[in-house]
Each structure stands twice: as structure tokens, then as C-alpha cells.
């Protein structure tokens, strides 16, 4: 790769993870809010400002995954306005990944899920389960022993659930997401923390067990990767997570760029 960085954007509903690669090395990473009001010019100013502030070379290529239609429109405008002469990939139909998608409708699989599947196949091989824990959703993506993406599951995210609980529960409140002294809470705050931390850990472990049973795989030979902006308090008490890779999606984006350019 010539002098310059590959800019990788993973845009989800609540936040955007940005990575800068020099070759295969992730040399910078940032997280910002996914503001649907941000214009194409604002996106470009923010991205180039982050790269420049970090003392990195100029952007020479970009790869993007976006699950928010309103933001995707602005990213395409940004591409046409500022990246017209550079190699750019936007994950979607027509972009090569090399991972067979065995679902009822492959076109409806989210771009971020395809990216995670590719990274899991390349880094760990199947069978594997990617658990993407972010504020909005808890997403399980499944790769079988033949390295095919075969589907997954989507559950509410822990932060979204806590926000809904505080909003709808008259005598409940927002709490810090940390493990309480014991699973049996001795006060309201600890009771909510117990439900959030141990409850979601139970959800994650239970779903992993069911997915492994459905695959008919040996549990000892299934890699389970936690990624996303996962809350450490929850992942720390999960029994079935074997690997933590917070930058799995960024790695997958880099791999997609390599396969398409």
C-alpha cells in the first residue's frame, strides 16, 4: 500500500466506529455518534480532522458499512464529492466478500453482519459465532464448519433495555452498568444491575448453547467472538465467550477492501 491510510467506517444505529489502517495494521480508531442530521460535508470534515489530528497520512482509500439509510445517503454524497478519484467500497449487493450467505433472502442481511462473518471466517474459521454487543441490539451471527454464513438471532441491547426500563418504570432509575455485589440485589439499584449484567449474560450464554446444538457442533471446537462496543461487565460474566475482538468489524471492512481493490 502506498503512503496514506485506508479509512474504515462502521455506521450503526447509535454510534459509528472509525478505523484507519496502514497496510494490515490498525493505526487509529475512534467512536462518534451516528447523527442522521450530519451532512456529507460534516462527515468529511470530521473524518479528515480525526486522521490529521492523529498525525496520520492522508486518506487514500475508504470502505464503509452503514445500516442507517439516511446516513448512507450522505456517505454516498461524500464519496462523490471528496473521494471520487480514490478506491471506495460500500458494503452491499455487488461487493465481493467470499463468504456464501445461506439465508432465505441474502440481500436483507445487514451489512455489518456480513462484514463480521467475513472477519470471523478469515481470522478464526468455522464453526464460529459472532456476538455483536452494542447499545441497541445483541446480534448473533453464525458461520458453519464449511465457512458459510447461515443466519443468526437479534435481541434487544442491554443499554436500550435499561433506558426503556427507566423510562417506563415509575419507581425505577438509570443505573451504572456494573456487576452488583451479588446476583440477589439488596436494593433497587443492585436489583437492576443484577438483571442487566447477569440477565444479559444468561441470554448470551443460553443463545450460544442453543445455536451450537442447532449446528450439531462440538462446543469445544466452536469459536465464540464478542465484538462491538460491548459492556465489559456483561462479557466478564459470560461463560461461553472464548475471544474478545472489539475491532472485528473494522478488520472485516479492511478485508472487504482488499478483496475488491
Amino acid at each position: 500500500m502506498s503512503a496514506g491510510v485506508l479509512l474504515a467506517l462502521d455506521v450503526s444505529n447509535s454510534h459509528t466506529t472509525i478505523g484507519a489502517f496502514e497496510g494490515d495494521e490498525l493505526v487509529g480508531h475512534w467512536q462518534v455518534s451516528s447523527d442522521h442530521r450530519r451532512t456529507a460535508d460534516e462527515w468529511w470534515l470530521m473524518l479528515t480532522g480525526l486522521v490529521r489530528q492523529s498525525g496520520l497520512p492522508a486518506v487514500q482509500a475508504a470502505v464503509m458499512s452503514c445500516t442507517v439509510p439516511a446516513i448512507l445517503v450522505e456517505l454516498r454524497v461524500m464519496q462523490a464529492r471528496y473521494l471520487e478519484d480514490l478506491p471506495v467500497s460500500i458494503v452491499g449487493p455487488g461487493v465481493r466478500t467470499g463468504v456464501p450467505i445461506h439465508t432465505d433472502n441474502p440481500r436483507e442481511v445487514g451489512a455489518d453482519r456480513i462484514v463480521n462473518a467475513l472477519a470471523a471466517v478469515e481470522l478464526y474459521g468455522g464453526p464460529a459465532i459472532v456476538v455483536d454487543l452494542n447499545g441497541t441490539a445483541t446480534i448473533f451471527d453464525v458461520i458453519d464448519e464449511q465457512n458459510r454464513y447461515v443466519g443468526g438471532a437479534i435481541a434487544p441491547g442491554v443499554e436500550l433495555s435499561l433506558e426503556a426500563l427507566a423510562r417506563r418504570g415509575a419507581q425505577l432509575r438509570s443505573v451504572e452498568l456494573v456487576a452488583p455485589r451479588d446476583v440477589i440485589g439488596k436494593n433497587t439499584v443492585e436489583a437492576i444491575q443484577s438483571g442487566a449484567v447477569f440477565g444479559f449474560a444468561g441470554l448470551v450464554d443460553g443463545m450460544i448453547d442453543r445455536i451450537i446444538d442447532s449446528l450439531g457442533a462440538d462446543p469445544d471446537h466452536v469459536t465464540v467472538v464478542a465484538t462491538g462496543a460491548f459492556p465489559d461487565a456483561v462479557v466478564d460474566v459470560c461463560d461461553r465467550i472464548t475471544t474478545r475482538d472489539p475491532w472485528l468489524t473494522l478488520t472485516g471492512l479492511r478485508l472487504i477492501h482488499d478483496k475488491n481493490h
Side-chain angles (χ1 to χ4, degrees), residues 12-250:
S12 64
N13 288 302
S14 58
H15 65 272
T16 296
T17 303
I18 305 160
F21 287 90
E22 287 189 282
D24 294 344
E25 183 181 0
L26 181 65
V27 293
H29 53 79
W30 309 272
Q31 281 195 340
V32 300
S33 62
S34 294
D35 187 349
H36 68 276
R37 298 169 299 177
R38 190 177 289 135
T39 66
D41 297 324
E42 289 172 326
W43 274 104
W44 181 246
L45 285 171
M46 178 188 65
L47 294 170
T48 53
L50 290 170
V51 170
R52 187 167 52 249
Q53 183 67 28
S54 299
L56 297 173
V59 176
Q60 71 148 16
V63 57
M64 298 175 257
S65 165
C66 180
T67 59
V68 185
I71 295 178
L72 182 58
V73 170
E74 295 300 324
L75 293 180
R76 291 192 184 279
V77 173
M78 181 187 74
Q79 174 190 2
R81 189 171 294 168
Y82 298 105
L83 298 166
E84 183 179 10
D85 298 326
L86 298 177
V88 177
S89 296
I90 298 179
V91 181
V95 172
R96 293 190 297 274
T97 66
V99 179
I101 302 174
H102 285 240
T103 62
D104 290 341
N105 185 359
R107 287 180 173 269
E108 74 177 10
V109 179
D112 53 338
R113 303 180 74 181
I114 295 172
V115 173
N116 283 343
L118 170 61
V121 166
E122 294 285 342
L123 296 179
Y124 307 105
I129 302 169
V130 177
V131 186
D132 191 344
L133 294 126
N134 58 65
T136 304
T138 302
I139 302 173
F140 301 83
D141 291 309
V142 185
I143 298 94
D144 68 9
E145 61 182 3
Q146 296 174 291
N147 289 333
R148 303 175 303 183
Y149 177 84
V150 294
I154 302 175
V158 60
E159 293 176 13
L160 179 68
S161 298
L162 282 175
E163 289 172 6
L165 189 65
R167 188 168 57 247
R168 299 293 294 273
Q171 294 185 334
L172 303 178
R173 68 193 78 172
S174 298
V175 301
E176 183 182 4
L177 190 59
V178 297
R181 292 174 295 176
D182 189 74
V183 68
I184 303 174
K186 299 298 185 181
N187 53 62
T188 301
V189 170
E190 288 187 349
I192 295 173
Q193 290 172 332
S194 177
V197 173
F198 298 115
F200 269 85
L203 182 153
V204 170
D205 287 338
M207 286 297 298
I208 291 169
D209 285 340
R210 289 174 181 268
I211 289 169
I212 291 174
D213 285 345
S214 181
L215 283 174
D218 181 347
D220 293 334
H221 294 97
V222 179
T223 303
V224 182
V225 188
T227 193
F230 53 75
D232 286 322
V234 174
V235 178
D236 285 345
V237 295
C238 287
D239 294 327
R240 296 293 183 260
I241 301 293
T242 60
T243 304
R244 301 187 192 195
D245 189 345
W247 313 123
L248 183 76
T249 309
L250 294 180

